[in-house]
Amino acid sequence: MSTNLFKVTRRAALSLCAVALTVPAFAPASAQAADKPVIALSNAYYGNTWRRQMVDSFEAVAKKAKEQGVIEDYIILNGDGSVNQQMSQMGSLILKGVDAIAIDAASESALNGVIKKACSAGVKVVAFDSVASAPCAYKLNFSFVKYQADLAEYVADRLDGEGNVLVVRGVKGSAPDHDMYKGQMSVLKKYPDLEVVGTVYGQATGSVAQSAVANILPSLPHVDAVLTQGGGDDYGVAKAFEQYGGEYADDMPIIVGGGSSNFIHWWADRREKTGYSTISKNTAPGIGSAAFWLAYEIEQGATPQKTMLMPVATVTNDNLGEYRDMKPGVIVSPEYTHDWVTEHLLDK
């Protein structure tokens, strides 16, 4: 059976299942738009602000695309961070006969088998953010190594290459955590007088990071700087140091920001009072909308490069005021439109 024939058969089955749910009894079967795809999101982890905002971004554009008749439907599945659950979800999506899957993976390699099954079934797969290395999948990623190396260089410059650094890692076992840590260490190893005095996992979550830092602080020497990974952990780190008080009451370490609005508000307030200075770089959760449109276009026949990179958002002391009025509990991020994806990802 050819791939095209398989695709028609698979989608025909999906349309038949959907008729009773979505088409009035008087509507003929021909009313189904055979060329309109079903796009799915498989998100391994939903436990932090970044991931929730990413899912919201995907859902917002998917819902609008469905309302406008661009797609037949969309499906969103969120996991608990485990490989086994996501493998089960991917298997379910394949059986449902979806046309394309955007996957934010629990592991760089453990999902490769089920992704290969999806590709073999004619499903287009876009691995994004926490990418999977399956050769058949398109990959939409950030330059995690580079931008975290840039932040580590900022810390090294501010400290003149000498001081104590606390490292707050992200989602344990994920590809972004591995790459960001690699970028940080690639810089720190060049400065023998910059000592990593502690490493904790903050799960890219404010509350988890706050608890992890609060637990380790009593055992550490004075901390001069903290490298974070984003997702809201920056504000949790700041609160842990504030609550610890003591030597940090009037001498907060340089906490590298990860784009959370709560941290930006904290930074702006502290800058007004004490002149506090730092920098923030973050991957944009709006990648969810970009992943949707990229999956859609590939399903429609587009053939972009196999690996594509997204920009990161940067906040400095100079443009801090532009973000002062962000609502609490969100991450700095644009939304990526269909036109943006066409111009920046497809027309390369």
Side-chain angles (χ1 to χ4, degrees):
M1 181 180 291
S2 70
T3 300
N4 288 338
L5 180 58
F6 180 87
K7 182 175 179 181
V8 170
T9 303
R10 176 169 54 84
R11 292 180 60 188
L14 177 63
S15 295
L16 289 173
C17 293
V19 167
L21 297 175
T22 60
V23 180
F26 56 80
S30 60
Q32 294 298 302
D35 292 332
K36 294 179 182 179
V38 175
I39 311 292
L41 170 63
S42 174
N43 173 44
Y45 182 66
Y46 194 62
N48 62 41
T49 300
W50 195 100
R51 288 294 183 102
R52 290 191 293 271
Q53 194 170 331
M54 180 277 291
V55 172
D56 288 346
S57 173
F58 181 99
E59 185 170 23
V61 294
K63 181 178 180 181
K64 187 172 183 180
K66 181 180 179 181
E67 290 172 348
Q68 294 176 341
V70 175
I71 63 171
E72 182 179 337
D73 206 353
Y74 64 92
I75 298 171
I76 296 173
L77 297 178
N78 294 306
D80 60 5
S82 70
V83 168
N84 286 342
Q85 185 183 55
Q86 192 167 36
M87 287 181 67
S88 176
Q89 290 175 345
M90 287 289 289
S92 172
L93 292 173
I94 295 169
L95 289 174
K96 286 178 183 293
V98 302
D99 297 283
I101 300 172
I103 178 172
D104 202 336
S107 167
E108 187 174 6
S109 59
L111 278 300
N112 285 356
V114 73
I115 290 173
K116 183 178 179 180
K117 288 181 181 178
C119 294
S120 297
V123 182
K124 304 301 182 183
V125 179
V126 174
F128 72 102
D129 176 43
S130 182
V131 299
S133 58
C136 70
Y138 290 87
K139 297 163 184 67
L140 181 61
N141 208 353
F142 299 98
S143 184
F144 293 105
V145 174
K146 182 182 184 305
Y147 97 83
Q148 283 292 336
D150 290 344
L151 291 174
E153 284 284 5
Y154 171 85
V155 166
D157 289 344
R158 284 282 307 276
L159 296 179
D160 294 323
E162 182 177 356
N164 294 329
V165 179
L166 172 63
V167 176
V168 179
R169 299 188 62 167
V171 178
K172 195 169 187 178
S174 69
D177 170 68
H178 174 270
D179 289 348
M180 285 190 269
Y181 184 70
K182 178 180 177 181
Q184 294 164 348
M185 294 303 106
S186 71
V187 171
L188 295 183
K189 70 181 182 182
K190 298 189 301 184
Y191 298 90
D193 293 326
L194 276 180
E195 182 180 358
V196 176
V197 294
T199 302
V200 297
Y201 279 93
Q203 291 296 114
T205 307
S207 58
V208 177
Q210 182 175 348
S211 177
V213 172
N215 287 338
I216 198 174
L217 267 181
S219 66
L220 300 180
H222 181 82
V223 175
D224 299 296
V226 185
L227 293 176
T228 66
Q229 287 197 6
D233 60 359
D234 46 11
Y235 184 62
V237 171
K239 295 304 292 182
F241 276 92
E242 276 193 338
Q243 290 174 0
Y244 187 81
E247 60 191 300
Y248 301 112
D250 299 312
D251 185 23
M252 290 289 288
I254 302 165
I255 302 171
V256 169
S260 76
S261 58
N262 289 353
F263 179 78
I264 287 172
H265 296 159
W266 176 88
W267 170 12
D269 289 343
R270 200 163 188 92
R271 183 164 180 76
E272 290 175 2
K273 297 173 182 176
T274 69
Y276 187 80
S277 179
T278 189
I279 191 172
S280 173
K281 286 180 180 286
N282 68 279
T283 58
I287 192 176
S289 55
F292 171 85
W293 285 120
L294 182 60
Y296 169 81
E297 283 293 339
I298 292 171
E299 194 282 332
Q300 293 292 295
T303 55
Q305 297 177 14
K306 269 292 186 176
T307 299
M308 295 152 277
L309 289 177
M310 296 288 291
V312 297
T314 302
V315 181
T316 67
N317 295 312
D318 294 333
N319 67 350
L320 180 61
E322 298 175 19
Y323 300 91
R324 190 68 174 85
D325 294 330
M326 285 178 64
K327 67 179 183 180
V330 298
I331 307 292
V332 174
S333 180
E335 292 298 316
Y336 298 101
T337 64
H338 194 177
D339 288 343
W340 188 95
V341 168
T342 300
E343 179 180 353
H344 292 89
L345 300 180
L346 301 183
D347 294 342
K348 288 285 187 180

